[in-house]
Amino acid sequence: MSSTKQYSTTSSLVIGYALCSSLLAVINKFAITKFNYPGLLTALQYLTSALGVWVLGKLGFLHHDQFTLETAKKFLPAALVFFLAIFTNTNLLRHANVDTFIVFRSLTPLLVAIADTTFRKQPCPSKLTFVSLLIILGGAVGYVATDSAFSLTAYSWAFAYLVTITTEMVYIKHMVTNLGLNTWGFVLYNNLLSLMMAPVLWFLTGEYVDVFATLAANSGKWFEPVAFSAVSLSCVFGLAISFFGFAARKAISATAFTVTGVVNKFLTVAINVVIWDKHASPFGLLCLLFTLAGGVLYQQSVTGTGSPSQRESTASKQTDSENDGDENEAKGMSGKLASV
């Protein structure tokens, strides 16, 4: 019964994360189209998430760890990487279509697996696992290969996103497992610290000039119903994915978490085909099926009874326990999002 309950809980968390991640990508693309201020948009998401956790905690609907300066100092490096990953993700969606986002997002599981083996001294994934990761990558590349709408600006942001999201996937696992925070505590620290860093980037990127110019002009575009709805939805889903993202990281491995993020883009593409006029050809959609098939193959490679990959997962957990000490609350956590 305990095993069945744990399986149901893990499945619910992964499904919740997949839905939030898939919908958030499209919602953010729509929001940044109608509200062309990426720094301010992400800041509003951070504010909603941090304020939501605090208010719900005061009302007794959830429990989160109290914000302390000492813990904040320890968490700051992880929050910085998270902040940069979300910022580059938003700007990638601003300058490129969802297809470009998908192909670079699909690169992360393979890079995370390599980084885990190289820097965190984790056992090498099995051959079947690597084959499944390569199928995911090949399918995503083939999907986007049918779309020629690329630009230097878009690729620059895509490369920046790839670097930051891969770093975040690996680095957060190393950083947060010793802090002893619960899920909502992680959400609070991550978003509150990111919100504190947002004004710095506004000035560095010069976005504040556009923001103040719009305020001075009082054009009314900020309060158009469509723009307001898109921004509001992005903020609500930002809070939801904060919970599901962190909770799912605790339940599954870093590579499984990133593969889930790649596979759930199938829903993103389906929505993208419906609402946008720029998408891949039927051949590209066929390539996407290979990405999904790679995700299924990966799941088989890591859940097969007595498989090398299963022994790998067990060894990984044992290694984490030995290195990190008492980490029952944070075992299995890896990096996000976005985020996202």
Side-chain angles (χ1 to χ4, degrees):
M1 290 295 295
S2 177
S3 177
T4 302
K5 182 179 180 180
Q6 182 180 4
Y7 176 80
S8 299
T9 301
T10 301
S11 298
S12 299
L13 292 174
V14 172
I15 291 173
Y17 165 70
L19 290 176
C20 289
S21 178
S22 299
L23 294 175
L24 185 60
V26 176
I27 290 172
N28 278 344
K29 175 64 178 178
F30 185 62
I32 198 63
T33 301
K34 299 297 181 180
F35 188 78
N36 195 22
Y37 307 99
L40 183 56
L41 176 61
T42 53
L44 290 173
Q45 291 176 341
Y46 301 142
L47 176 62
T48 302
S49 297
L51 186 61
V53 171
W54 183 80
V55 170
L56 292 175
K58 288 295 184 181
L59 295 177
F61 290 103
L62 57 86
H63 170 73
H64 64 81
D65 300 280
Q66 294 299 315
F67 187 88
T68 63
L69 184 60
E70 181 179 357
T71 304
K73 289 180 180 178
K74 297 178 181 179
F75 198 91
L76 184 60
L80 176 60
V81 177
F82 168 82
F83 174 80
L84 293 175
I86 297 299
F87 180 76
T88 55
N89 177 26
T90 304
N91 277 279
L92 172 57
L93 288 173
R94 181 188 184 189
H95 295 283
N97 53 35
V98 176
D99 301 341
T100 306
F101 166 75
I102 290 174
V103 71
F104 278 89
R105 181 66 176 81
S106 69
L107 289 170
T108 57
L110 182 59
L111 296 182
V112 167
I114 295 174
D116 269 343
T117 303
T118 304
F119 300 107
R120 298 190 62 245
K121 308 303 180 182
Q122 297 297 310
C124 293
S126 66
K127 293 181 178 179
L128 181 59
T129 299
F130 259 122
V131 168
S132 65
L133 293 174
L134 290 175
I135 291 176
I136 291 174
L137 174 61
V141 171
Y143 177 84
V144 180
T146 60
D147 185 3
S148 60
F150 297 117
S151 67
L152 180 61
T153 301
Y155 262 95
S156 298
W157 282 113
F159 179 77
Y161 168 72
L162 178 62
V163 172
T164 54
I165 194 64
T166 302
T167 303
E168 198 258 0
M169 292 287 182
V170 178
Y171 187 60
I172 278 189
K173 169 64 179 179
H174 173 73
M175 283 295 300
V176 304
T177 50
N178 289 326
L179 296 181
L181 299 174
N182 62 17
T183 297
W184 290 111
F186 282 121
V187 174
L188 178 64
Y189 275 87
N190 225 12
N191 288 279
L192 187 56
L193 290 175
S194 295
L195 179 61
M196 294 178 181
M197 289 183 278
V200 177
L201 208 57
W202 292 347
F203 284 93
L204 291 178
T205 59
E207 183 179 319
Y208 73 98
V209 176
D210 296 330
V211 173
F212 289 142
T214 302
L215 284 175
N218 193 23
S219 62
K221 292 182 179 179
W222 285 42
F223 302 103
E224 287 183 352
V226 176
F228 180 81
S229 299
V231 173
S232 298
L233 280 175
S234 70
C235 290
V236 171
F237 271 77
L239 174 60
I241 201 172
S242 293
F243 169 74
F244 283 110
F246 274 119
R249 290 171 201 163
K250 290 184 179 183
I252 58 180
S253 68
T255 306
F257 180 81
T258 54
V259 168
T260 301
V262 171
V263 173
N264 69 41
K265 293 302 177 289
F266 180 82
L267 178 58
T268 302
V269 172
I271 299 173
N272 183 57
V273 170
V274 174
I275 68 174
W276 301 108
D277 58 353
K278 295 182 179 180
H279 50 77
S281 64
F283 175 78
L285 295 177
L286 179 62
C287 291
L288 183 61
L289 293 179
F290 282 92
T291 301
L292 184 60
V296 174
L297 181 61
Y298 172 82
Q299 293 297 328
Q300 294 296 321
S301 72
V302 298
T303 59
T305 303
S307 66
S309 188
Q310 184 181 41
R311 293 193 293 271
E312 166 198 330
S313 176
T314 303
S316 175
K317 291 181 180 178
Q318 291 174 343
T319 302
D320 290 341
S321 179
E322 294 169 358
N323 291 343
D324 301 328
D326 186 13
E327 57 168 36
N328 293 332
E329 184 66 20
K331 184 178 291 183
M333 178 170 286
S334 66
K336 186 177 185 180
L337 332 109
S339 163
V340 250

